[in-house]
């Protein structure tokens, strides 16, 4: 198949997804191509008897003007999925992303709502209860109840994730969200309130496991980074929504009930939406090779599901070929088609390498002080003389808006710049901000703007690095055979280290002082940079099967 470059000699490309004879197709591209593969453009495009008239995204081709690819023969060169990217309908991509991402939004909403709910719940005038006088331990259980529920959920899902499937897991998460929200909102006493917090946390554990799995396994590879990073944006949006609801209901009697209860309608929307979506095609193929049913039946279901996810007509050949390629790749990782592997398989061979990468990222995400720095934001801003810092809800909204803006930058750039550059640059910025915070408390106390700049630098760098990209890498890096268990371990690592850092911050602050604890976090951040440089690969543009075959082998 010949293409004409505007700056070089004609060259040919083999397009493995297109099956009609070359003589029946004519394509005319004007490609701005040079030796730099990042320079690319594509226009105009004509095709005869090949594409349907349904609007599709025409993918970009990375083309070097000096390269030639043969159009036939057994030794033909093939363009990988990173280069020859599939066409898809944007309208078909939105909902398979949106409904799983609501699981992240509901997680963020709980964080934001709890900050206002705890104030309302303890007020003699505004709590609307006779049991408002909570002890420090009781208040701590209310705040952390959802966190421990999430820990429990991530443990439970380790052994049942592949049995449930990504779709059913998210439906169950939505049900738990709704039950937890309603139980908390109508709680007649502290005991019922804590049960509701635990139920909601179980929903968080399942949603934070199932959402990146479903999105990664169903979206086109060229926008996978963007969509999974957008899930992090939804978490920040949820935090902001929780802050706003808290600020509006903070003066209402029993306002904490409204703050928690508002998440129930969103959970219902998530559950109905997930019910309407097809299951993950890759999960269907996984069950097929595990011998859980008829291979042909699962294969047909996977073809149908992929067609719906891409907005293609029923029975299209492109979906059939993609499913067949994925099935061949998956079968090659199984020595016994009916074997599901051992319980500890995730700690062996390529799976262990994936866990070191994914688990290491989510561990460093927490132990570089992310929860603690944000908890310290109020005192930092107050010491800088900002009168608005006296109002906790307003300060939270300002920080939340800034987090949102920086996350959007990461979303816009993650599939252009790649994962590693954003991680390395962002974590270096985190280390610098922590050094500045330490210096502020040691020697720069007379320069309050240093504290404000350090805080904003930390938040901004976190939101372009660890915030979205840790979960993106976790969703990409595990082989399909162990992806469910691997991500559940990563979720467990995340929530476990979060709980430890949150618990240990106050004692460490008293023992070391604010200046030294930020210095400790800075040292850990520098270790994180070394870990990323030496261990974390670049996965931009690669399909999940290519990541498994090229990076983990």
């Amino acid at each position: 198949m010949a293409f004409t470059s505007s700056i070089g000699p004609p060259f040919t490309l083999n397009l493995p997804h297109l099956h009609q004879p070359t003589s029946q197709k004519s394509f005319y591209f004007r490609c701005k191509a040079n030796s730099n593969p990042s320079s690319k453009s594509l226009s105009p495009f004509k095709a005869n008897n090949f594409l349907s008239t349904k609007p599709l995204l025409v993918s970009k081709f990375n083309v070097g003007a000096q390269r030639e690819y043969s159009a036939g023969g057994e030794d033909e060169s093939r363009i990988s999925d990173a280069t020859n990217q599939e066409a898809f309908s944007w309208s078909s991509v939105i909902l398979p992303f949106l409904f799983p991402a609501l699981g992240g939004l509901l997680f963020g909403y709980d964080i934001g709502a709890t900050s206002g709910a705890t104030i309302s719940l303890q007020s003699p005038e505004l709590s609307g209860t006779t049991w408002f006088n909570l002890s420090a331990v009781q208040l701590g259980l209310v705040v952390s109840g959802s966190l421990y529920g999430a820990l429990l959920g991530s443990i439970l899902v380790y052994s049942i994730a592949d049995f449930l499937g990504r779709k059913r897991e998210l439906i169950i998460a939505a049900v738990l969200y709704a039950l937890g929200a309603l139980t908390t909102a109508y709680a007649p006493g502290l005991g019922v309130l804590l049960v509701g917090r635990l139920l909601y946390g179980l929903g968080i554990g399942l949603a934070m496991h199932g959402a990146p799995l479903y999105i990664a396994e169903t979206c086109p590879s060229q926008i996978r980074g963007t969509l999974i990073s957008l899930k992090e944006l939804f978490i920040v949006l949820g935090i902001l929504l929780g802050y706003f609801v808290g600020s509006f209901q903070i003066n209402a009697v029993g306002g904490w009930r409204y703050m928690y209860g508002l998440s129930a309608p969103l959970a219902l929307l998530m559950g109905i939406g997930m019910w309407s979506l097809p299951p993950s095609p890759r999960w269907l193929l996984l069950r097929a090779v595990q011998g859980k049913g008829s291979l042909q039946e699962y294969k047909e279901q996977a073809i149908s599901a992929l067609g719906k996810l891409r907005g293609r007509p029923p029975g299209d050949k492109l979906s059939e070929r993609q499913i067949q390629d994925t099935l061949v790749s998956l079968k090659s990782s199984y020595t016994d088609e009916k074997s599901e592997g051992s319980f500890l398989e995730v700690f062996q061979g390529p799976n262990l390498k994936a866990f070191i990468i994914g688990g290491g990222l989510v561990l460093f995400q927490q132990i570089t002080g992310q929860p603690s720095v944000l908890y310290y934001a109020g005192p930092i801003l107050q010491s800088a003389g900002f009168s608005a810092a006296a109002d906790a809800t307003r300060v939270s909204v300002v920080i939340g808006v800034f987090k949102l803006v920086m996350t959007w930058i990461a979303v816009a750039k993650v599939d252009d710049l790649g994962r590693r550059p954003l991680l390395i640059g962002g974590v270096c910025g985190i280390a610098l901000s922590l050094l500045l915070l330490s210096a502020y408390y040691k020697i720069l106390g007379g320069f309050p703007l240093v504290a404000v700049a350090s805080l904003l630098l930390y938040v901004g760098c976190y939101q372009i690095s660890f915030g979205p990209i840790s979960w993106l890498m976790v969703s990409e890096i595990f082989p399909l055979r162990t992806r469910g268990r691997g991500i559940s371990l990563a979720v467990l690592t995340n929530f476990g280290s979060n709980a430890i850092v949150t618990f240990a911050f106050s004692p460490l602050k008293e023992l070391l002082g604010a200046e030294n604890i930020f210095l400790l976090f800075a040292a850990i951040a520098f270790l994180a940079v070394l870990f990323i440089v030496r261990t974390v690969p670049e996965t931009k543009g690669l399909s999940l099967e290519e990541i498994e075959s090229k990076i983990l082998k």
Side-chain angles (χ1 to χ4, degrees), residues 352-365:
L352 177 60
K353 181 178 180 181
F355 179 66
I356 291 172
I357 295 168
L361 283 174
V362 296
L363 178 64
F364 278 116
Q365 179 190 47

Side-chain angles (χ1 to χ4, degrees), residues 185-234:
Y186 290 99
L190 180 61
V192 176
L193 174 63
L194 294 178
V195 170
R197 299 292 291 143
L198 186 69
L199 286 172
Y200 197 95
L202 286 171
I204 292 174
L206 267 66
M208 294 305 291
H209 175 269
L213 257 178
Y214 188 89
I215 296 170
E217 290 188 356
T218 59
C219 72
S221 61
Q222 64 263 41
I223 60 170
R224 186 176 62 244
T226 297
L227 292 184
I228 297 178
S229 300
L230 270 174
K231 184 186 72 66
E232 173 70 18
L233 187 73
F234 268 60

Side-chain angles (χ1 to χ4, degrees), residues 66-361:
Q66 304 302 319
R67 301 184 64 184
E68 291 194 356
Y69 299 87
S70 64
E74 294 182 358
D75 297 328
E76 64 187 1
S77 299
R78 291 185 176 272
I79 304 172
S80 73
D81 287 343
T83 307
N84 179 22
Q85 298 171 339
E86 62 180 309
F88 62 91
S89 166
W90 272 108
S91 61
S92 66
V93 169
I94 293 172
L95 294 182
F97 159 76
L98 178 62
F99 293 125
L102 285 177
L105 185 141
L106 286 163
F107 170 43
Y109 179 82
D110 183 70
I111 297 172
T114 297
S115 67
T118 52
I119 298 173
S120 172
L121 187 60
Q122 296 178 94
S123 170
E125 298 83 14
L126 300 177
S127 67
T129 72
T130 58
W131 40 275
F132 58 85
N133 191 20
L134 302 179
S135 68
V137 172
Q138 290 172 330
L139 182 62
L141 289 174
V142 172
V143 173
S144 61
S146 61
L147 177 62
Y148 292 113
L151 274 170
L152 179 59
S154 58
I155 293 172
L156 292 175
V157 82
Y158 179 82
S159 59
I160 62 173
D162 286 339
F163 167 74
L164 289 177
R166 299 28 167 157
K167 175 180 174 177
R168 280 188 291 184
E169 183 180 351
L170 287 169
I171 292 173
I172 294 172
V175 172
L176 289 168
Y177 272 141
L179 286 176
L182 293 174
T183 302
T184 305
Y186 290 99
L190 180 61
V192 176
L193 174 63
L194 294 178
V195 170
R197 299 292 291 143
L198 186 69
L199 286 172
Y200 197 95
L202 286 171
I204 292 174
L206 267 66
M208 294 305 291
H209 175 269
L213 257 178
Y214 188 89
I215 296 170
E217 290 188 356
T218 59
C219 72
S221 61
Q222 64 263 41
I223 60 170
R224 186 176 62 244
T226 297
L227 292 184
I228 297 178
S229 300
L230 270 174
K231 184 186 72 66
E232 173 70 18
L233 187 73
F234 268 60
I235 295 176
V236 178
L237 280 172
I239 294 173
L240 263 180
L241 180 61
Y243 288 154
F244 276 118
V245 172
S247 66
F248 283 121
Q249 294 293 327
I250 195 67
N251 294 318
V253 176
W256 61 274
R257 298 185 185 274
Y258 297 100
M259 296 177 201
Y260 282 130
L262 187 65
S263 55
L266 294 173
L268 180 62
L269 177 62
M270 174 187 168
I272 294 173
M274 287 306 307
W275 188 274
S276 68
L277 293 177
S280 162
R282 285 182 170 95
W283 174 76
L284 290 169
L285 295 179
L286 177 65
R287 300 304 281 171
V289 299
Q290 288 174 343
K292 301 303 180 181
S294 166
L295 176 63
Q296 185 60 31
E297 182 178 341
Y298 270 122
K299 183 178 176 182
E300 290 174 358
Q301 291 178 25
I303 293 170
S304 174
L306 182 60
K308 292 177 182 178
L309 290 165
R310 296 294 181 270
R312 298 168 183 162
D316 72 290
K317 297 298 182 182
L318 181 54
S319 294
E320 184 177 344
R321 167 150 187 179
Q322 288 178 302
I323 291 299
Q324 181 60 36
D325 290 346
T326 302
L327 184 60
V328 170
S329 174
L330 183 57
K331 279 185 174 181
S332 68
S333 68
Y334 275 73
T335 55
D336 178 1
E337 287 190 356
K338 296 190 177 184
S339 171
E340 294 185 57
S342 68
F343 187 77
L344 298 176
E345 185 182 12
V346 74
F347 298 108
Q348 301 169 3
N351 304 297
L352 177 60
K353 181 178 180 181
F355 179 66
I356 291 172
I357 295 168
L361 283 174

